[in-house]
Amino acid sequence: MEIANIKYWARDAYNLIYLDLLQFFRSKLIVISSLLTSVTMVLAFGLGADNGQPIVPIEGNYFAFILPGILAVGIMFSSTYTMGYTFIVDCQRRTIEDIVLSPLSYVGFIVSRIIGMSLKCSLQFLLVLMISMLFFNTTIESYVLLFFAFFTECITFAALGIIVASFTNEISFSSLINIIIIPLSYFGGVFFPLDNFGSFSNVVSALPLAAHIEVFRDAMAATSSTDLYFNLLLTTFYSLTSIWVAMYVFKFRIQRF
């Protein structure tokens, strides 16, 4: 009797595992997302740390170099996920339909959402900054540059969250977002200078996260690999373009209801 029970148990367990794997491999986004972190990390560290170049410029310390990247990555994840899931919840609760009937314009709705998201995102940004200044002797050379980088990055990645959420649901949203932002995290110059990427440095320096990190580095007097004015122009372009695309997509989404 015990052998029969074990047989039935093994059969049920096999069927459950089979169905689980079948469902996993049917979702290409989930498969790619699950593989992306490790693959992207080994590629980024292979290109950036295995070419004989120093990990951090001689005149700086590693924490001072990596802190701007920590701030920028935190903003990117917080802005994208917060805004994306907020938009999905708005759709599920039919809040979007109320916008059509209210005097609030499409632009007003997006701006209001981004302002709210930025205020929530500023909590972790200011907390990390305060800890760094109190315990690790971090200095700020330009608060104007610091908050310019913060707000333009919030706008850029909040808009990205809206755009992706417009074409996905709560299940596929995180997988698709990871496919976009995980490579940015490792190829954005967080862990080592952009110059270490060699022939790829011109490409990675034009990525939105990389440009924002370099502005943060200039604001915090850390060594930057690229020109400040170029990065200011690039971050402004990304924020304005992304918010315009997000508003267009949002309007298109509303018209489908």
Side-chain angles (χ1 to χ4, degrees), residues 6-48:
I6 294 174
K7 180 180 179 181
Y8 291 134
W9 180 90
R11 184 194 63 188
D12 292 339
Y14 169 81
N15 290 334
L16 184 61
I17 294 170
Y18 173 78
L19 291 174
D20 184 45
L21 291 175
L22 188 64
Q23 183 179 11
F24 174 76
F25 285 107
R26 278 178 176 173
S27 178
K28 295 181 177 61
L29 286 177
I30 295 177
V31 174
I32 296 172
S33 179
S34 66
L35 300 174
L36 198 60
T37 300
S38 298
V39 173
T40 306
M41 183 181 292
V42 74
L43 288 174
F45 276 80
L47 290 171

Short mmCIF file of all heavy atoms in Angstrom, two decimals, residues 6-48:
data_model
loop_
_atom_site.label_atom_id
_atom_site.label_comp_id
_atom_site.label_asym_id
_atom_site.label_seq_id
_atom_site.Cartn_x
_atom_site.Cartn_y
_atom_site.Cartn_z
N ILE A 6 3.45 5.95 -2.78
CA ILE A 6 4.66 6.60 -3.30
C ILE A 6 4.58 6.76 -4.81
O ILE A 6 4.98 7.79 -5.37
CB ILE A 6 5.91 5.80 -2.90
CG1 ILE A 6 6.11 5.83 -1.39
CG2 ILE A 6 7.16 6.33 -3.61
CD1 ILE A 6 7.23 4.95 -0.88
N LYS A 7 4.03 5.74 -5.48
CA LYS A 7 3.90 5.79 -6.92
C LYS A 7 2.97 6.92 -7.35
O LYS A 7 3.28 7.69 -8.27
CB LYS A 7 3.35 4.45 -7.43
CG LYS A 7 3.18 4.40 -8.94
CD LYS A 7 2.65 3.04 -9.36
CE LYS A 7 2.44 3.01 -10.87
NZ LYS A 7 1.89 1.69 -11.31
N TYR A 8 1.81 7.03 -6.65
CA TYR A 8 0.87 8.10 -6.99
C TYR A 8 1.48 9.48 -6.67
O TYR A 8 1.29 10.45 -7.41
CB TYR A 8 -0.44 7.92 -6.21
CG TYR A 8 -1.24 6.72 -6.67
CD1 TYR A 8 -1.79 5.83 -5.74
CD2 TYR A 8 -1.45 6.48 -8.04
CE1 TYR A 8 -2.52 4.74 -6.17
CE2 TYR A 8 -2.18 5.38 -8.46
CZ TYR A 8 -2.71 4.51 -7.53
OH TYR A 8 -3.43 3.42 -7.94
N TRP A 9 2.20 9.55 -5.53
CA TRP A 9 2.85 10.81 -5.15
C TRP A 9 3.86 11.23 -6.21
O TRP A 9 3.92 12.40 -6.59
CB TRP A 9 3.53 10.63 -3.80
CG TRP A 9 4.24 11.87 -3.32
CD1 TRP A 9 3.71 12.86 -2.56
CD2 TRP A 9 5.59 12.23 -3.61
NE1 TRP A 9 4.65 13.85 -2.34
CE2 TRP A 9 5.82 13.48 -2.98
CE3 TRP A 9 6.63 11.63 -4.32
CZ2 TRP A 9 7.04 14.14 -3.03
CZ3 TRP A 9 7.85 12.29 -4.39
CH2 TRP A 9 8.05 13.53 -3.75
N ALA A 10 4.68 10.28 -6.66
CA ALA A 10 5.69 10.58 -7.67
C ALA A 10 5.05 11.01 -8.98
O ALA A 10 5.52 11.94 -9.65
CB ALA A 10 6.58 9.35 -7.89
N ARG A 11 3.93 10.37 -9.34
CA ARG A 11 3.23 10.73 -10.58
C ARG A 11 2.68 12.15 -10.50
O ARG A 11 2.83 12.94 -11.43
CB ARG A 11 2.10 9.74 -10.83
CG ARG A 11 1.36 9.97 -12.16
CD ARG A 11 0.06 9.19 -12.18
NE ARG A 11 -0.85 9.66 -11.13
CZ ARG A 11 -2.00 9.05 -10.82
NH1 ARG A 11 -2.36 7.95 -11.46
NH2 ARG A 11 -2.76 9.53 -9.86
N ASP A 12 2.04 12.48 -9.37
CA ASP A 12 1.48 13.82 -9.21
C ASP A 12 2.58 14.88 -9.19
O ASP A 12 2.42 15.97 -9.74
CB ASP A 12 0.65 13.89 -7.92
CG ASP A 12 -0.61 13.03 -8.00
OD1 ASP A 12 -1.03 12.70 -9.13
OD2 ASP A 12 -1.15 12.69 -6.93
N ALA A 13 3.68 14.55 -8.50
CA ALA A 13 4.79 15.49 -8.45
C ALA A 13 5.37 15.71 -9.84
O ALA A 13 5.69 16.85 -10.23
CB ALA A 13 5.87 14.98 -7.50
N TYR A 14 5.50 14.62 -10.61
CA TYR A 14 6.02 14.72 -11.98
C TYR A 14 5.10 15.59 -12.84
O TYR A 14 5.58 16.46 -13.58
CB TYR A 14 6.15 13.33 -12.59
CG TYR A 14 6.42 13.36 -14.08
CD1 TYR A 14 7.70 13.58 -14.57
CD2 TYR A 14 5.37 13.18 -15.00
CE1 TYR A 14 7.95 13.62 -15.94
CE2 TYR A 14 5.61 13.22 -16.36
CZ TYR A 14 6.90 13.44 -16.82
OH TYR A 14 7.15 13.48 -18.18
N ASN A 15 3.80 15.37 -12.73
CA ASN A 15 2.85 16.16 -13.53
C ASN A 15 2.92 17.64 -13.16
O ASN A 15 2.86 18.51 -14.04
CB ASN A 15 1.43 15.63 -13.31
CG ASN A 15 1.20 14.27 -13.94
OD1 ASN A 15 1.89 13.91 -14.91
ND2 ASN A 15 0.28 13.50 -13.40
N LEU A 16 3.07 17.92 -11.86
CA LEU A 16 3.14 19.31 -11.42
C LEU A 16 4.41 19.99 -11.94
O LEU A 16 4.38 21.13 -12.42
CB LEU A 16 3.10 19.38 -9.89
CG LEU A 16 3.06 20.78 -9.27
CD1 LEU A 16 1.82 21.53 -9.73
CD2 LEU A 16 3.09 20.68 -7.75
N ILE A 17 5.53 19.27 -11.83
CA ILE A 17 6.80 19.82 -12.33
C ILE A 17 6.74 20.02 -13.84
O ILE A 17 7.20 21.04 -14.37
CB ILE A 17 7.97 18.88 -11.96
CG1 ILE A 17 8.16 18.85 -10.44
CG2 ILE A 17 9.27 19.33 -12.65
CD1 ILE A 17 9.12 17.78 -9.97
N TYR A 18 6.16 19.07 -14.55
CA TYR A 18 6.05 19.15 -16.00
C TYR A 18 5.21 20.37 -16.41
O TYR A 18 5.60 21.13 -17.30
CB TYR A 18 5.43 17.87 -16.55
CG TYR A 18 5.12 17.93 -18.04
CD1 TYR A 18 6.14 17.77 -18.98
CD2 TYR A 18 3.82 18.15 -18.49
CE1 TYR A 18 5.87 17.83 -20.33
CE2 TYR A 18 3.54 18.21 -19.84
CZ TYR A 18 4.57 18.05 -20.76
OH TYR A 18 4.30 18.12 -22.10
N LEU A 19 4.07 20.55 -15.75
CA LEU A 19 3.20 21.68 -16.08
C LEU A 19 3.88 23.01 -15.74
O LEU A 19 3.72 24.00 -16.46
CB LEU A 19 1.87 21.56 -15.34
CG LEU A 19 0.95 20.41 -15.79
CD1 LEU A 19 -0.26 20.31 -14.88
CD2 LEU A 19 0.52 20.61 -17.24
N ASP A 20 4.62 23.02 -14.62
CA ASP A 20 5.32 24.23 -14.21
C ASP A 20 6.38 24.62 -15.24
O ASP A 20 6.48 25.79 -15.65
CB ASP A 20 5.96 24.02 -12.85
CG ASP A 20 6.62 25.28 -12.33
OD1 ASP A 20 6.01 26.36 -12.42
OD2 ASP A 20 7.76 25.19 -11.83
N LEU A 21 7.17 23.64 -15.69
CA LEU A 21 8.20 23.91 -16.70
C LEU A 21 7.58 24.29 -18.04
O LEU A 21 8.09 25.16 -18.75
CB LEU A 21 9.11 22.69 -16.87
CG LEU A 21 10.02 22.37 -15.68
CD1 LEU A 21 10.78 21.07 -15.94
CD2 LEU A 21 11.01 23.51 -15.43
N LEU A 22 6.47 23.63 -18.39
CA LEU A 22 5.79 23.93 -19.65
C LEU A 22 5.29 25.37 -19.65
O LEU A 22 5.46 26.11 -20.64
CB LEU A 22 4.63 22.96 -19.85
CG LEU A 22 3.92 23.02 -21.22
CD1 LEU A 22 4.87 22.61 -22.33
CD2 LEU A 22 2.69 22.11 -21.21
N GLN A 23 4.70 25.79 -18.54
CA GLN A 23 4.21 27.16 -18.44
C GLN A 23 5.37 28.16 -18.47
O GLN A 23 5.28 29.22 -19.07
CB GLN A 23 3.41 27.33 -17.15
CG GLN A 23 2.80 28.72 -16.98
CD GLN A 23 2.00 28.83 -15.70
OE1 GLN A 23 2.06 27.96 -14.84
NE2 GLN A 23 1.25 29.92 -15.57
N PHE A 24 6.49 27.79 -17.82
CA PHE A 24 7.66 28.66 -17.79
C PHE A 24 8.22 28.89 -19.19
O PHE A 24 8.46 30.03 -19.61
CB PHE A 24 8.73 28.04 -16.88
CG PHE A 24 10.04 28.78 -16.88
CD1 PHE A 24 10.18 29.98 -16.20
CD2 PHE A 24 11.13 28.28 -17.57
CE1 PHE A 24 11.39 30.67 -16.20
CE2 PHE A 24 12.34 28.96 -17.58
CZ PHE A 24 12.47 30.15 -16.88
N PHE A 25 8.42 27.84 -19.94
CA PHE A 25 9.04 27.96 -21.26
C PHE A 25 8.08 28.51 -22.32
O PHE A 25 8.52 28.96 -23.38
CB PHE A 25 9.61 26.61 -21.71
CG PHE A 25 10.88 26.25 -21.01
CD1 PHE A 25 10.90 25.26 -20.04
CD2 PHE A 25 12.05 26.92 -21.29
CE1 PHE A 25 12.07 24.92 -19.39
CE2 PHE A 25 13.24 26.60 -20.65
CZ PHE A 25 13.24 25.60 -19.68
N ARG A 26 6.78 28.49 -22.03
CA ARG A 26 5.83 29.09 -22.96
C ARG A 26 5.90 30.62 -22.90
O ARG A 26 5.55 31.30 -23.86
CB ARG A 26 4.41 28.63 -22.62
CG ARG A 26 4.07 27.26 -23.20
CD ARG A 26 2.67 26.85 -22.79
NE ARG A 26 2.27 25.59 -23.40
CZ ARG A 26 1.15 24.93 -23.10
NH1 ARG A 26 0.31 25.44 -22.21
NH2 ARG A 26 0.88 23.79 -23.69
N SER A 27 6.33 31.15 -21.76
CA SER A 27 6.44 32.60 -21.60
C SER A 27 7.87 33.03 -21.91
O SER A 27 8.77 32.92 -21.08
CB SER A 27 6.06 33.00 -20.17
OG SER A 27 6.22 34.38 -20.00
N LYS A 28 8.07 33.51 -23.14
CA LYS A 28 9.42 33.89 -23.56
C LYS A 28 9.97 35.04 -22.72
O LYS A 28 11.17 35.11 -22.44
CB LYS A 28 9.40 34.27 -25.04
CG LYS A 28 9.06 33.11 -25.97
CD LYS A 28 9.08 33.56 -27.42
CE LYS A 28 8.80 32.39 -28.36
NZ LYS A 28 7.47 31.80 -28.13
N LEU A 29 9.10 35.97 -22.30
CA LEU A 29 9.56 37.10 -21.50
C LEU A 29 10.13 36.63 -20.17
O LEU A 29 11.15 37.15 -19.71
CB LEU A 29 8.40 38.07 -21.26
CG LEU A 29 7.96 38.93 -22.45
CD1 LEU A 29 6.76 39.78 -22.05
CD2 LEU A 29 9.10 39.82 -22.92
N ILE A 30 9.46 35.68 -19.54
CA ILE A 30 9.93 35.19 -18.24
C ILE A 30 11.26 34.45 -18.39
O ILE A 30 12.17 34.61 -17.58
CB ILE A 30 8.87 34.27 -17.59
CG1 ILE A 30 7.61 35.08 -17.26
CG2 ILE A 30 9.42 33.61 -16.34
CD1 ILE A 30 6.48 34.27 -16.68
N VAL A 31 11.39 33.66 -19.44
CA VAL A 31 12.64 32.93 -19.68
C VAL A 31 13.80 33.90 -19.88
O VAL A 31 14.86 33.78 -19.26
CB VAL A 31 12.50 32.00 -20.90
CG1 VAL A 31 13.84 31.36 -21.24
CG2 VAL A 31 11.47 30.92 -20.63
N ILE A 32 13.58 34.88 -20.75
CA ILE A 32 14.64 35.85 -21.02
C ILE A 32 14.97 36.65 -19.78
O ILE A 32 16.15 36.88 -19.46
CB ILE A 32 14.22 36.79 -22.17
CG1 ILE A 32 14.05 35.99 -23.47
CG2 ILE A 32 15.23 37.91 -22.37
CD1 ILE A 32 13.46 36.80 -24.62
N SER A 33 13.96 37.07 -19.04
CA SER A 33 14.18 37.86 -17.83
C SER A 33 14.95 37.08 -16.78
O SER A 33 15.82 37.64 -16.09
CB SER A 33 12.83 38.31 -17.26
OG SER A 33 13.00 39.06 -16.09
N SER A 34 14.67 35.79 -16.64
CA SER A 34 15.36 34.98 -15.63
C SER A 34 16.83 34.76 -15.97
O SER A 34 17.66 34.58 -15.07
CB SER A 34 14.65 33.62 -15.48
OG SER A 34 14.78 32.87 -16.67
N LEU A 35 17.16 34.77 -17.25
CA LEU A 35 18.54 34.56 -17.68
C LEU A 35 19.33 35.85 -17.78
O LEU A 35 20.56 35.84 -17.80
CB LEU A 35 18.57 33.86 -19.04
CG LEU A 35 17.92 32.48 -19.14
CD1 LEU A 35 17.92 32.01 -20.59
CD2 LEU A 35 18.62 31.48 -18.25
N LEU A 36 18.62 36.98 -17.82
CA LEU A 36 19.25 38.23 -18.21
C LEU A 36 20.23 38.76 -17.18
O LEU A 36 21.29 39.28 -17.54
CB LEU A 36 18.16 39.28 -18.47
CG LEU A 36 18.59 40.51 -19.27
CD1 LEU A 36 19.10 40.11 -20.63
CD2 LEU A 36 17.42 41.48 -19.40
N THR A 37 19.92 38.64 -15.90
CA THR A 37 20.78 39.23 -14.87
C THR A 37 22.19 38.65 -14.91
O THR A 37 23.18 39.38 -14.98
CB THR A 37 20.17 39.01 -13.47
OG1 THR A 37 18.88 39.61 -13.42
CG2 THR A 37 21.06 39.62 -12.41
N SER A 38 22.29 37.34 -14.88
CA SER A 38 23.61 36.71 -14.85
C SER A 38 24.37 36.92 -16.16
O SER A 38 25.57 37.21 -16.16
CB SER A 38 23.47 35.21 -14.58
OG SER A 38 22.90 34.99 -13.31
N VAL A 39 23.67 36.78 -17.28
CA VAL A 39 24.33 36.94 -18.58
C VAL A 39 24.82 38.37 -18.77
O VAL A 39 25.95 38.62 -19.20
CB VAL A 39 23.36 36.54 -19.72
CG1 VAL A 39 23.97 36.87 -21.08
CG2 VAL A 39 23.03 35.05 -19.65
N THR A 40 23.96 39.33 -18.43
CA THR A 40 24.35 40.73 -18.57
C THR A 40 25.50 41.08 -17.63
O THR A 40 26.42 41.81 -18.00
CB THR A 40 23.16 41.65 -18.26
OG1 THR A 40 22.06 41.28 -19.08
CG2 THR A 40 23.50 43.11 -18.53
N MET A 41 25.48 40.54 -16.42
CA MET A 41 26.54 40.83 -15.46
C MET A 41 27.89 40.31 -15.95
O MET A 41 28.90 41.02 -15.89
CB MET A 41 26.20 40.20 -14.10
CG MET A 41 27.22 40.53 -13.02
SD MET A 41 26.83 39.75 -11.43
CE MET A 41 25.36 40.65 -10.97
N VAL A 42 27.91 39.08 -16.45
CA VAL A 42 29.19 38.52 -16.89
C VAL A 42 29.71 39.26 -18.12
O VAL A 42 30.93 39.48 -18.27
CB VAL A 42 29.08 37.01 -17.14
CG1 VAL A 42 28.31 36.69 -18.42
CG2 VAL A 42 30.46 36.36 -17.19
N LEU A 43 28.83 39.69 -19.01
CA LEU A 43 29.25 40.45 -20.17
C LEU A 43 29.79 41.83 -19.78
O LEU A 43 30.84 42.26 -20.25
CB LEU A 43 28.09 40.61 -21.16
CG LEU A 43 27.67 39.36 -21.93
CD1 LEU A 43 26.41 39.65 -22.74
CD2 LEU A 43 28.78 38.89 -22.86
N ALA A 44 29.05 42.50 -18.89
CA ALA A 44 29.46 43.84 -18.48
C ALA A 44 30.77 43.82 -17.72
O ALA A 44 31.68 44.61 -17.99
CB ALA A 44 28.37 44.47 -17.61
N PHE A 45 30.91 42.90 -16.76
CA PHE A 45 32.14 42.83 -16.00
C PHE A 45 33.28 42.29 -16.85
O PHE A 45 34.45 42.67 -16.65
CB PHE A 45 31.95 41.96 -14.76
CG PHE A 45 31.35 42.71 -13.61
CD1 PHE A 45 29.98 42.94 -13.55
CD2 PHE A 45 32.14 43.19 -12.59
CE1 PHE A 45 29.42 43.64 -12.50
CE2 PHE A 45 31.59 43.90 -11.53
CZ PHE A 45 30.22 44.12 -11.49
N GLY A 46 32.97 41.42 -17.79
CA GLY A 46 34.01 40.93 -18.69
C GLY A 46 34.59 42.04 -19.55
O GLY A 46 35.80 42.15 -19.75
N LEU A 47 33.69 42.90 -20.07
CA LEU A 47 34.15 44.00 -20.92
C LEU A 47 34.77 45.13 -20.11
O LEU A 47 35.75 45.75 -20.53
CB LEU A 47 32.96 44.55 -21.73
CG LEU A 47 32.41 43.65 -22.84
CD1 LEU A 47 31.12 44.22 -23.39
CD2 LEU A 47 33.44 43.51 -23.96
N GLY A 48 34.19 45.42 -18.96
CA GLY A 48 34.63 46.59 -18.20
C GLY A 48 35.75 46.37 -17.21
O GLY A 48 36.44 47.31 -16.84
#
